[in-house]
C-alpha cells in the first residue's frame, strides 16, 4: 500500500502513550484539526455522505466520509490507507449490533445495510485473524498493533491468564510505553493507566518484572507480549455461546487450526479443519459435519444450539473467513448469482489469504521505509518516522498536553530518507566485540531451545522416550539452558547501558564487558560435570533411536520441522562449542585492549577461566563432532549399516589419545566428503566419495523420494596406492586409486581439489598402517568382491533401480554438506567442519539482490557452511538459507554501482547477493567467517598439523 502526498500514518493521538483517555489541555492545533492532517468540522459534514467514527487500537478516534451506497470495503480501505497499514488483512472493523454483541463489518455490503444508524455507531479497528506465531507478522508496526489488541483483551477480560502472567504482560506493556524502569514514572503511569482488572493487587509485581526489562526496545517488548500471549489458551478466542444436544452450556470459538469447544474457560475439544467436511446452520442449529473416520460412521454430524438464527449465521461467517484465510492458497471466487432461485448463503471471504498476504508483503515491504519507534522517558515520549517525499526533513507538529505538574511533549517527524543504522554507534571496537557476544548468545539460546522446548514437547506428546533417557537428557541440558538465559539477560542489559537509549553510560561505568564475562565464566565452571556427560547423552540417544521404533519416528519427523534447521544431534554439541566461541572472542578483546585499560584485567581473567574449561573438554568435543558426523552420514546413506559401530578404533585417535580406549568406545574417523567423477565404460560419471580412517566409500545419488546416496563401492585403505594419472587417461585432474579389491580412476573439478584428495588419501593410508586392527567388512557378503579392471561397468539405470532401503529413512535435508558438495562440485574435510564451528556468527545485516533496488533488514546466522535468514532474532525458525560452499566473497566492483560503506558481495556463477554491515568491525568479521566457508583453495586437510603454512583467501 503506497504513500499519499500530504498525509501520514496516525499511530497515536496525543497522550495515549502515557495513558490519556481524551484530548484535553493546551494544543498548538487549530480548532477542528486532527493529527491525520485533515480538517474536520465538529458538526456533521454537509451533503448526504455518511460521517463515520472509527476508534483505533490506541483508543484514538478518526472521522471518515463515505458514500452511503459504497461497499464497506471503501471505509476499510480508507482506514488502512490513512493508517499506512500494509498487513491489513489481519484486521477488520467491528461494531455492536442491537443485541450489544460485537460483529464484523462485511466488506462487500454497504455500511448502511449493516448498521441502522451508521453516524451514531462507533466502529473500532480490531485484529480479526490471529496467527499462531507472531513471527508470521512481517512488519514491526503490525506487531505493535497486535500488542495493543492484547492490551485491550487483557482489560476486557478476554485474554484470561494467571495473575502472574498478567503482571508479566503488563510489565512489557509498561516497558513499551515509557521505557526503562523508574520507580516514580512507573507508579505514575500505573496510577493513570488501567492495564489489568486486578491491577492494584499485582502492581508491585508489575514493577518488579518491569525492572528486569532494562534496555528492551519497544519493538522487543511488543514481540515479548505476543510470544507470551500466543501460548495462552485464550489467545485470540472470541466466545459464541451455545448448548450441546444435552443442553449443557458451552462456548464455541474459531482459530487458525479449526473449531474449539469451551466449557467455562476450559477447552474441551478441538476440531481441526482437516477433520471437518462441512459447516452449516439451520435456524438456531449450528452443524459440524466430520469425515466418517473421525467419529465413526454413526456420529459424523455434531449439532449445537445457539440463541438465534442471527447468532448462528454470524458464527458461521466467521468460520468461513477463518478457514479461507488460513487454509486456502488463493482468494475464493464469489458465487455466481442464480437467475431464478437461490439456495443457501452466497457469503464468501473477500480478502487475501494469509499466503497471498505474506507474498505481497515480501514483494512490497522492502520498498517501504522501515517503521521506527523509540521511547524517550520523562520528556519526549514517542517518535514515529516515515517517508513522505513531499515534505522536507523538519519538525512539523508538536502537541503539548498537561498531566498534573509534568509537561509531556509528543513529536512527529517526517524524513525523506531513513537509514537503517541511523543511531550514532560508538567507534570503540570493544563495543562491537561485546555486541558479537550478545548476538551469538541470542542464537545459542535459540539453539538450546530446539532441545529444551521443541524436542521435549515432541517426545512428551508421543510418549516416545524412556523415562531414564528423558532424565539423562533434560536434567543434563536444562541447568545449562537456565544459566545462559540469565547470562543473556546480563549481556543485553550491559549493551543497552553501554550505548542505549537510556544514556545510562553517562551516569556509570558501563562501557566494558570484562566484569560480566568474568563473573559468568567463573559460574560456568560449575557446569563442567554436565558438559562432560554429553558423550553419554549423545551415544545413549543414538542407541535408543535404533532400538525404539516410536522414538526413531519422532526423531525423524522432528528433523523435518522448520525449527530443527540442522541435524538434531548437532544442537547437543552447542554447549561445548560455545566455550570455544567465548575463548576466541575474549582473545580478540584482550588483543584489542591495552594492558592499562580498565577492562583488560577482567577480560584476561575471564579468558583464563574459560580456557581452562575448554582445555578439559577439547578431546571430548573432537570425539563428539566425529560421532555426530558419522550418525548424520549413517542416516543419509543407503547400503551401509554400521558406520557408528563401536570397536573400530581410529589409528589417529588411539595413538594421540590412548585414554579414549578406557573412557569411551572409539569409532572410525571421518576425514573428507566430496564430489569426484568416476571413469566408467560410459565415460565420466558423477559420484560422491566419503573418506574415513579405514576405508573409502563411493556413492551415487538416485532418483528417489528422499534424495539419499546409495553406496556402490567400499575400498579398504589397507594396501591402497594413489597415483596421479592425467597423462595416462588424458583427463584433467585425474588420479588412480589401487586397492586390494578393485582399481578405479577418478577426476576432480580442479587441480586444488585433486591435491586435497590425494594428500588426504595418502596420509590416511599411512595412518591406517599404524592401526592394530584391520577394517571389518560392512556390506553384504559378495558385494564388490568381483575381480575388476580400472574401468568399472556401471550405469545410471543400475543405480536408480535400487529401492531396497527406502523405508529405512523418509526425510531429506537439502542443505546438508553432502548435497551441497554434490551440486557445487566440491569437497569438505572434518577440519573444515571444525573451522566452521569456530567461526559461527550472527547479527542484523541488510541484504540486496543483484537486480533489486531496496535493502531488506534480516537477522542472519552463519553456521555449518550456510547463512540462515530470519525476520528478527526472536523468530523460532529461518525464512530461507544460503549454502556458501563454492561461493566467492569480495567487496563490490565499480560496475555493481553500490555506493555504501561496509558492503560485501557473494557470488556463485550468476547468483549475486550484497550484504551491508553496521560497522567496520562487523563487516570484517562477516568477511572473515564467510571466507572460511566459501573459500575452496583455502581449506586445510584434517591430517595437516595445526600451525602449518596456510593462508585464507576468498579467491
Amino acid at each position: 500500500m503506497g504513500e499519499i502526498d500530504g498525509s501520514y500514518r496516525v499511530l497515536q493521538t496525543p497522550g495515549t502513550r502515557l495513558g490519556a483517555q481524551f484530548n484535553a489541555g493546551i494544543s498548538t492545533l487549530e480548532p477542528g484539526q486532527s493529527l491525520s492532517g485533515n480538517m474536520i468540522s465538529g458538526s456533521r459534514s454537509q451533503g448526504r455522505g455518511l460521517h463515520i467514527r472509527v476508534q483505533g487500537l490506541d483508543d484514538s478516534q478518526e472521522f471518515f466520509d463515505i458514500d452511503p451506497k459504497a461497499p464497506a470495503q471503501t471505509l476499510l480501505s480508507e482506514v488502512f490507507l490513512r493508517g499506512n497499514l500494509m498487513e491489513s488483512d489481519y484486521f477488520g472493523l467491528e461494531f455492536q449490533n442491537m443485541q450489544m454483541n460485537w460483529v464484523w463489518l462485511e466488506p462487500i455490503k454497504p455500511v448502511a445495510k449493516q448498521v441502522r444508524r451508521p453516524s451514531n455507531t462507533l466502529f473500532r479497528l480490531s485484529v480479526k485473524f490471529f496467527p499462531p506465531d507472531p513471527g508470521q507478522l512481517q512488519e514491526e508496526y503490525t506487531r505493535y498493533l497486535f500488542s495493543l489488541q492484547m492490551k485491550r483483551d487483557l482489560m476486557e477480560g478476554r485474554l484470561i491468564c494467571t495473575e502472574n502472567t498478567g503482571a508479566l504482560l503488563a510489565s512489557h506493556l509498561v516497558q513499551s510505553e515509557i521505557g526503562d524502569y523508574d520507580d516514580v514514572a512507573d507508579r505514575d503511569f500505573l496510577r493513570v493507566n488501567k492495564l489489568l482488572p486486578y491491577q492494584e493487587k499485582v502492581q508491585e509485581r508489575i514493577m518488579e518484572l518491569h525492572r528486569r526489562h532494562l534496555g528492551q526496545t519497544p519493538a522487543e517488548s511488543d514481540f515479548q507480549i505476543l510470544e507470551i500471549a500466543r501460548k495462552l489458551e485464550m489467545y485470540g478466542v472470541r466466545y459464541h455461546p451455545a448448548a450441546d444436544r444435552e443442553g449443557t452450556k458451552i462456548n464455541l470459538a474459531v482459530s487458525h487450526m479449526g473449531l474449539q469447544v469451551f466449557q467455562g474457560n476450559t477447552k474441551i475439544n478441538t476440531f481441526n479443519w482437516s477433520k471437518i467436511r462441512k459447516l452449516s446452520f439451520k435456524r438456531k442449529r449450528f452443524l459440524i459435519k466430520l469425515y466418517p473416520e473421525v467419529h465413526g460412521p454413526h456420529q459424523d454430524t455434531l449439532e449445537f444450539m445457539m440463541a438465534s438464527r442471527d447468532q448462528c449465521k454470524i458464527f458461521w461467517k466467521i468460520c468461513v473467513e477463518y478457514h479461507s484465510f488460513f487454509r486456502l492458497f488463493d482468494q475464493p471466487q464469489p458465487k455466481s448469482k442464480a437467475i431464478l432461485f437461490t439456495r443457501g448463503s452466497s457469503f464468501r471471504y473477500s480478502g487475501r489469504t494469509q499466503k497471498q498476504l505474506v507474498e505481497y508483503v515480501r514483494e512490497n515491504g522492502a520498498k517501504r521505509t522501515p517503521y521506527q519507534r523509540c521511547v524517550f522517558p520523562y520528556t519526549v515520549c514517542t517518535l514515529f518516522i516515515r517517508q513522505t517525499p513531499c515534505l522536507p526533513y523538519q519538525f512539523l507538529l508538536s502537541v503539548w498536553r498537561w498531566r498534573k505538574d509534568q509537561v509531556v511533549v509528543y513529536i512527529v517527524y517526517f524524513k525523506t530518507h531513513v537509514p537503517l543504522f541511523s543511531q550514532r554507534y560508538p567507534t570503540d571496537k570493544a563495543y562491537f566485540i561485546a555486541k558479537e557476544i550478545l548476538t551469538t548468545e541470542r542464537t545459542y539460546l535459540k539453539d538450546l531451545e530446539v532441545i529444551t522446548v521443541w524436542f521435549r514437547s515432541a517426545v512428551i506428546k508421543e510418549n516416545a522416550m524412556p523415562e531414564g533417557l528423558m532424565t539423562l537428557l533434560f536434567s543434563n541440558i536444562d541447568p545449562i539452558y537456565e544459566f545462559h538465559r540469565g547470562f543473556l539477560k546480563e549481556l543485553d542489559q550491559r549493551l543497552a547501558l553501554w550505548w542505549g537509549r537510556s544514556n545510562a553510560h553517562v551516569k556509570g561505568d558501563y562501557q566494558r564487558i570484562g566484569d560480566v564475562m568474568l563473573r559468568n565464566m567463573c559460574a560456568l565452571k560449575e557446569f563442567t560435570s554436565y558438559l562432560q556427560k554429553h558423550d553419554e547423552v549423545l551415544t545413549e540417544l543414538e542407541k535408543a533411536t535404533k532400538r525404539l521404533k516410536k522414538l526413531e519416528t519422532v526423531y525423524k519427523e522432528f528433523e523435518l520441522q522448520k525449527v530443527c534447521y540442522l541435524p538434531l544431534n548437532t544442537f547437543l554439541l552447542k554447549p561445548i562449542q560455545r566455550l570455544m566461541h567465548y575463548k576466541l572472542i575474549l582473545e580478540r578483546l584482550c588483543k584489542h585492549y591495552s594492558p592499562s585499560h580498565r577492562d583488560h584485567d577482567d577480560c584476561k581473567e575471564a579468558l583464563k577461566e574459560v580456557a581452562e574449561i575448554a582445555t578439559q573438554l577439547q578431546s571430548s568435543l573432537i570425539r563428539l563432532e566425529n560421532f555426530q558426523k558419522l550418525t548424520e552420514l549413517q542416516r543419509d546413506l543407503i547400503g551401509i549399516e554400521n558406520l557408528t559401530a563401536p570397536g573400530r578404533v581410529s589409528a589417529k585417535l588411539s595413538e594421540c589419545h590412548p585414554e579414549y580406549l578406557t573412557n569411551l568406545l572409539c569409532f572410525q574417523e571421518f576425514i573428507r566428503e566430496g564430489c569426484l567423477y568416476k571413469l566408467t565404460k560410459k565415460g565420466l560419471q558423477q559420484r560422491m566419495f566419503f573418506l574415513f580412517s579405514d576405508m573409502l566409500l563411493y556413492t551415487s545419488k538416485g532418483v528417489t523420494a528422499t534424495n539419499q546416496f546409495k553406496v556402490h563401492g567400499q575400498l579398504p585403505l589397507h594396501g591402497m596406492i594413489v597415483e596421479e594419472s592425467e597423462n595416462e587417461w588424458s583427463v584433467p585432474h585425474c588420479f588412480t586409486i589401487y586397492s586390494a579389491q578393485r582399481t578405479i580412476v577418478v577426476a576432480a573439478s580442479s587441480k586444488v581439489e585433486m591435491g586435497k584428495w590425494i594428500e588426504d588419501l595418502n596420509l590416511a593410508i599411512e595412518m591406517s598402517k599404524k592401526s592394530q586392527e584391520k577394517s571389518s567388512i560392512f556390506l553384504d557378503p559378495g558385494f564388490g568382491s568381483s575381480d575388476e579392471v580400472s574401468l568399472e561397468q556401471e550405469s545410471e539405470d543400475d543405480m536408480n533401480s535400487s529401492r531396497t532401503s527406502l523405508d529405512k529413512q523418509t526425510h531429506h535435508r537439502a542443505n546438508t554438506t553432502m548435497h551441497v558438495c554434490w551440486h557445487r562440485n566440491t569437497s569438505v574435510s572434518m577440519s573444515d567442519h571444525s573451522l566452521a564451528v569456530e567461526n559461527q556468527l550472527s547479527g542484523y545485516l541488510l541484504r540486496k539482490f543483484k537486480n533489486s533496488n531496496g535493502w531488506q533488514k534480516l537477522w542472519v546466522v552463519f553456521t555449518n557452511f550456510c547463512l540462515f535468514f530470519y525476520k528478527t532474532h526472536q523468530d523460532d525458525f529461518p525464512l530461507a538459507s544460503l549454502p556458501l560452499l563454492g561461493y566467492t566473497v569480495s567487496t563490490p566492483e565499480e560496475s555493481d554501482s553500490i555506493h555504501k560503506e561496509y558492503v560485501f558481495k557473494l557470488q556463485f556463477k550468476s547468483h549475486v547477493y550484497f550484504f551491508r554491515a553496521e560497522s567496520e568491525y562487523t563487516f570484517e568479521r562477516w568477511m572473515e567467517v564467510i571466507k572460511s566457508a566459501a573459500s575452496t583453495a583455502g581449506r586445510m586437510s584434517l591430517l595437516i598439523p595445526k600451525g602449518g603454512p596456510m593462508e585464507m583467501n576468498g579467491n
Side-chain angles (χ1 to χ4, degrees):
M1 212 169 280
E3 304 288 348
I4 291 184
D5 291 347
S7 70
Y8 61 91
R9 179 191 299 168
V10 180
L11 298 175
Q12 293 178 307
T13 55
T16 53
R17 289 299 281 194
L18 287 180
Q21 302 302 315
F22 57 91
N23 293 336
I26 301 172
S27 174
T28 59
L29 297 176
E30 296 297 327
Q33 185 179 2
S34 76
L35 277 176
S36 65
N38 296 324
M39 299 297 293
I40 297 173
S41 171
S43 61
R44 294 190 180 276
S45 60
Q46 300 296 320
R48 297 181 179 178
L50 291 177
H51 197 54
I52 304 296
R53 182 166 51 114
V54 177
Q55 178 177 298
L57 279 158
D58 61 352
D59 295 330
S60 63
Q61 294 187 10
E62 288 286 323
F63 289 88
F64 298 84
D65 291 309
I66 63 168
D67 187 327
K69 296 181 180 179
Q73 183 61 54
T74 304
L75 174 60
L76 285 164
S77 298
E78 183 65 25
V79 171
F80 298 148
L81 191 62
R82 192 179 294 185
N84 198 14
L85 181 57
M86 175 170 274
E87 294 179 285
S88 56
D89 296 86
Y90 286 111
F91 300 86
L93 291 178
E94 57 180 353
F95 63 94
Q96 285 184 304
N97 61 10
M98 296 296 292
Q99 292 75 37
M100 301 305 292
N101 295 317
W102 288 100
V103 295
W104 293 108
L105 189 67
E106 294 181 28
I108 297 176
K109 294 181 181 180
V111 176
K113 288 192 175 183
Q114 302 181 61
V115 187
R116 280 195 175 182
R117 297 178 179 178
S119 297
N120 295 336
T121 301
L122 175 66
F123 296 85
R124 68 178 189 181
L125 180 68
S126 300
V127 174
K128 189 173 187 178
F129 301 112
F130 291 82
D133 183 0
Q136 294 174 344
L137 304 175
Q138 300 181 67
E139 292 219 315
E140 181 189 328
Y141 179 44
T142 311
R143 291 193 288 271
Y144 165 61
L145 294 181
F146 264 72
S147 72
L148 292 181
Q149 181 70 59
M150 297 303 104
K151 178 182 176 182
R152 179 191 288 176
D153 288 354
L154 274 173
M155 194 55 218
E156 293 181 353
R158 284 179 165 182
L159 189 60
I160 299 171
C161 58
T162 64
E163 289 184 357
N164 194 55
T165 302
L168 179 59
L169 286 165
S171 70
H172 284 293
L173 286 167
V174 175
Q175 177 73 19
S176 176
E177 297 280 357
I178 67 172
D180 290 340
Y181 172 83
D182 178 271
D183 188 79
V184 175
D186 275 35
R187 294 185 187 280
D188 194 22
F189 177 83
L190 292 171
R191 184 173 61 253
V192 175
N193 292 272
K194 191 80 167 174
L195 303 178
L196 298 169
Y198 44 86
Q199 184 164 304
E200 292 78 9
K201 184 178 178 181
V202 296
Q203 178 165 318
E204 294 301 321
R205 179 62 176 159
I206 294 172
M207 295 174 63
E208 177 189 342
L209 291 168
H210 181 209
R211 189 194 298 268
R212 301 178 186 177
H213 306 327
L214 183 65
Q216 190 168 280
T217 66
E220 290 170 338
S221 298
D222 294 342
F223 198 93
Q224 290 301 319
I225 292 165
L226 299 183
E227 272 292 301
I228 297 165
R230 77 179 180 100
K231 297 173 184 177
L232 299 175
E233 198 162 64
M234 302 303 292
Y235 166 70
V237 169
R238 300 293 182 261
Y239 280 161
H240 296 264
D244 61 16
R245 284 180 174 175
E246 288 74 33
T248 305
K249 291 184 178 180
I250 52 98
N251 287 302
L252 298 178
V254 63
S255 70
H256 70 281
M257 67 175 66
L259 268 63
Q260 300 173 327
V261 183
F262 290 82
Q263 196 164 23
N265 292 323
T266 304
K267 184 163 62 177
I268 60 175
N269 213 338
T270 299
F271 300 103
N272 290 333
W273 295 122
S274 59
K275 298 178 181 179
I276 298 174
R277 183 164 58 91
K278 184 180 180 181
L279 294 175
S280 62
F281 66 95
K282 292 181 181 178
R283 297 183 180 87
K284 296 193 294 184
R285 291 184 299 150
F286 186 80
L287 305 173
I288 304 174
K289 292 188 177 181
L290 305 172
Y291 286 103
E293 62 270 18
V294 178
H295 279 289
H298 303 294
Q299 194 185 357
D300 64 347
T301 302
L302 301 175
E303 184 178 305
F304 300 94
M305 293 293 292
M306 304 189 85
S308 66
R309 181 185 181 276
D310 287 345
Q311 290 292 88
C312 262
K313 190 171 184 179
I314 288 169
F315 183 57
W316 175 79
K317 286 180 177 180
I318 294 172
C319 292
V320 170
E321 291 184 311
Y322 253 84
H323 177 268
S324 300
F325 183 77
F326 285 108
R327 295 283 289 181
L328 300 186
F329 290 140
D330 300 310
Q331 180 180 339
Q333 296 300 315
K335 207 173 186 179
S336 58
K337 291 186 177 179
I339 298 175
L340 295 176
F341 304 102
T342 61
R343 179 182 174 87
S345 174
S346 62
F347 177 80
R348 291 292 182 272
Y349 172 62
S350 58
R352 286 173 293 208
T353 66
Q354 188 186 35
K355 181 177 183 295
Q356 290 175 317
L357 180 59
V358 168
E359 290 174 352
Y360 171 76
V361 176
R362 282 179 181 169
E363 291 172 3
N364 297 276
K367 302 173 186 176
R368 288 159 54 90
T369 301
Y371 158 77
Q372 299 184 8
R373 183 167 95 256
C374 305
V375 174
F376 300 85
Y378 308 121
T379 54
V380 181
C381 180
T382 308
L383 171 66
F384 292 107
I385 301 173
R386 62 174 286 253
Q387 180 179 3
T388 305
C390 64
L391 295 173
Y393 181 151
Q394 61 180 351
F395 170 83
L396 282 187
L397 177 67
S398 69
V399 182
W400 296 74
R401 180 180 184 283
W402 291 99
R403 185 165 65 85
K404 295 205 171 179
D405 58 342
Q406 183 181 8
V407 177
V408 182
V409 185
Y410 295 82
I411 300 178
V412 179
Y413 279 108
F414 294 86
K415 288 186 180 183
T416 55
H417 174 68
V418 181
L420 171 68
F421 307 117
S422 57
Q423 281 184 305
R424 292 186 60 191
Y425 285 107
T427 56
D428 186 5
K429 182 179 177 180
Y431 171 81
F432 294 102
I433 300 176
K435 191 172 182 181
E436 182 181 334
I437 302 174
L438 171 64
T439 56
T440 52
E441 190 73 12
R442 283 174 174 166
T443 299
Y444 169 59
L445 204 68
K446 281 290 184 183
D447 287 343
L448 289 184
E449 286 176 359
V450 174
I451 300 292
T452 60
V453 177
W454 298 96
F455 185 59
R456 187 205 305 266
S457 175
V459 295
I460 289 177
K461 181 180 178 181
E462 300 297 332
N463 193 24
M465 186 177 287
E467 186 176 343
L469 183 56
M470 283 280 289
T471 302
L472 174 64
L473 172 58
F474 295 111
S475 66
N476 193 56
I477 200 167
D478 282 348
I480 297 172
Y481 171 68
E482 290 301 323
F483 166 78
H484 285 282
R485 283 184 65 187
F487 181 33
L488 176 60
K489 181 71 76 173
E490 280 197 65
L491 291 172
D492 221 342
Q493 291 174 353
R494 176 53 58 89
L495 267 292
L497 293 170
W498 190 327
W499 192 265
R501 54 195 172 87
S502 63
N503 292 326
H505 61 278
V506 177
K507 306 173 187 176
D509 184 18
Y510 296 118
Q511 293 185 320
R512 58 196 181 101
I513 198 69
D515 58 328
V516 176
M517 293 301 294
L518 177 57
R519 183 166 56 253
N520 284 277
M521 293 306 101
C522 290
L524 194 57
K525 291 180 74 172
E526 300 176 10
F527 295 90
T528 306
S529 59
Y530 293 102
L531 297 172
Q532 288 172 337
K533 288 183 181 178
H534 273 53
D535 280 344
E536 183 183 358
V537 171
L538 208 62
T539 52
E540 289 302 318
L541 180 60
E542 181 65 19
K543 288 179 187 176
T545 53
K546 289 181 179 179
R547 188 176 71 252
L548 304 171
K549 187 67 179 177
K550 183 187 283 189
L551 179 59
E552 181 187 26
T553 302
V554 171
Y555 192 109
K556 290 177 179 178
E557 288 179 351
F558 182 76
E559 282 198 321
L560 286 175
Q561 294 185 22
K562 291 181 179 179
V563 72
C564 189
Y565 67 101
L566 299 172
L568 177 57
N569 55 11
T570 303
F571 295 101
L572 289 170
L573 304 184
K574 296 289 183 179
I576 303 180
Q577 292 171 344
R578 188 61 180 152
L579 295 174
M580 311 305 165
H581 301 159
Y582 294 145
K583 180 173 177 288
L584 292 170
I585 296 175
L586 283 166
E587 284 174 349
R588 281 200 294 276
L589 267 173
C590 291
K591 185 177 180 180
H592 167 70
Y593 285 139
S594 65
S596 60
H597 193 281
R598 68 183 188 279
D599 204 24
H600 178 271
D601 290 346
D602 282 345
C603 286
K604 191 173 181 180
E605 283 300 311
L607 174 59
K608 181 181 176 182
E609 294 290 338
V610 76
E612 183 181 333
I613 313 172
T615 302
Q616 293 179 35
L617 297 167
Q618 179 67 38
S619 59
S620 179
L621 179 59
I622 294 172
R623 208 162 52 239
L624 290 171
E625 287 178 342
N626 182 67
F627 180 72
Q628 185 278 322
K629 185 62 183 177
L630 293 178
T631 56
E632 179 187 328
L633 293 176
Q634 183 71 76
R635 290 184 171 91
D636 287 338
L637 296 178
I638 298 175
I640 190 164
E641 299 299 333
N642 55 342
L643 276 177
T644 57
R648 305 179 47 79
V649 181
S650 156
K652 182 182 175 186
L653 290 179
S654 60
E655 179 182 334
C656 301
H657 307 283
E659 69 276 10
Y660 290 0
L661 299 178
T662 57
N663 294 339
L664 183 75
L665 292 171
C666 292
F667 304 92
Q668 62 178 332
E669 186 180 358
F670 167 75
I671 297 175
R672 180 176 291 277
E673 63 182 335
C675 180
L676 294 171
Y677 286 84
K678 182 172 174 292
L679 192 61
T680 70
K681 289 186 176 179
K682 288 194 172 185
L684 290 171
Q685 294 188 342
Q686 190 176 4
R687 298 289 179 267
M688 191 70 185
F689 280 74
F690 300 90
L691 176 60
F692 301 94
S693 55
D694 61 348
M695 69 172 177
L696 177 68
L697 291 180
Y698 60 91
T699 66
S700 61
K701 185 180 179 183
V703 183
T704 70
T706 58
N707 281 328
Q708 291 169 277
F709 287 84
K710 179 181 179 295
V711 176
H712 278 273
Q714 172 210 351
L715 306 178
L717 296 187
H718 184 70
M720 182 180 286
I721 300 174
V722 182
E723 292 180 353
E724 290 189 40
S725 51
E726 290 184 88
N727 296 332
E728 182 180 351
W729 297 99
S730 300
V731 176
H733 323 309
C734 174
F735 58 98
T736 304
I737 301 173
Y738 301 92
S739 74
Q741 293 180 328
R742 67 183 70 179
T743 300
I744 61 172
V745 179
V746 294
S749 60
S750 66
K751 194 168 187 66
V752 172
E753 278 291 305
M754 179 183 72
K756 289 189 291 185
W757 275 106
I758 292 178
E759 185 174 35
D760 278 0
L761 279 164
N762 283 330
L763 288 172
I765 291 167
E766 287 299 314
M767 288 291 187
S768 70
K769 291 178 182 178
K770 301 176 182 179
S771 176
Q772 299 301 312
E773 295 183 23
K774 292 185 179 180
S775 299
S776 61
I777 302 299
F778 284 158
L779 306 178
D780 296 334
F783 181 86
S785 59
S786 58
D787 190 15
E788 298 184 72
V789 294
S790 58
L791 293 184
E792 183 181 357
Q793 187 169 1
E794 188 179 285
S795 70
E796 293 294 335
D797 293 336
D798 296 332
M799 289 176 280
N800 298 341
S801 63
S802 175
R803 299 291 188 271
T804 58
S805 302
L806 289 184
D807 59 344
K808 184 183 75 171
Q809 180 181 349
T810 58
H811 76 286
H812 155 62
R813 189 175 293 279
N815 60 0
T816 56
T817 51
M818 69 166 66
H819 287 91
V820 178
C821 286
W822 175 268
H823 291 292
R824 303 277 169 83
N825 203 10
T826 186
S827 68
V828 173
S829 71
M830 193 62 197
S831 70
D832 298 329
H833 282 281
S834 300
L835 189 61
V837 166
E838 291 180 358
N839 284 320
Q840 291 186 12
L841 192 61
S842 54
Y844 281 106
L845 291 174
L846 289 175
R847 183 185 67 180
K848 180 184 177 299
F849 297 109
K850 180 181 179 182
N851 298 318
S852 67
N853 295 322
W855 295 83
Q856 183 182 14
K857 181 183 178 183
L858 294 168
W859 176 261
V860 184
V861 173
F862 168 76
T863 185
N864 287 46
F865 308 103
C866 195
L867 293 179
F868 295 92
F869 302 106
Y870 300 76
K871 191 72 175 177
T872 70
H873 71 265
Q874 294 105 331
D875 292 357
D876 291 322
F877 54 83
L879 301 170
S881 61
L882 179 65
L884 293 177
L885 293 175
Y887 269 82
T888 58
V889 59
S890 62
T891 54
E893 301 170 358
E894 190 67 31
S895 59
D896 294 320
S897 299
I898 302 293
H899 307 294
K900 302 286 185 182
E901 287 184 312
Y902 315 132
V903 176
F904 58 91
K905 175 182 178 181
L906 280 175
Q907 183 168 5
F908 175 74
K909 297 181 178 178
S910 61
H911 302 282
V912 178
Y913 304 90
F914 299 97
F915 293 91
R916 182 182 169 200
E918 66 179 1
S919 68
E920 183 179 5
Y921 172 80
T922 50
F923 165 76
E924 291 173 351
R925 282 290 292 140
W926 280 106
M927 288 282 285
E928 177 187 351
V929 300
I930 290 175
K931 280 182 179 179
S932 72
S935 168
T936 53
R939 294 202 204 101
M940 299 181 296
S941 163
L942 172 68
L943 301 174
I944 296 177
K946 285 191 175 182
M950 184 62 64
E951 184 175 335
M952 286 292 172
N953 61 72
N955 301 319

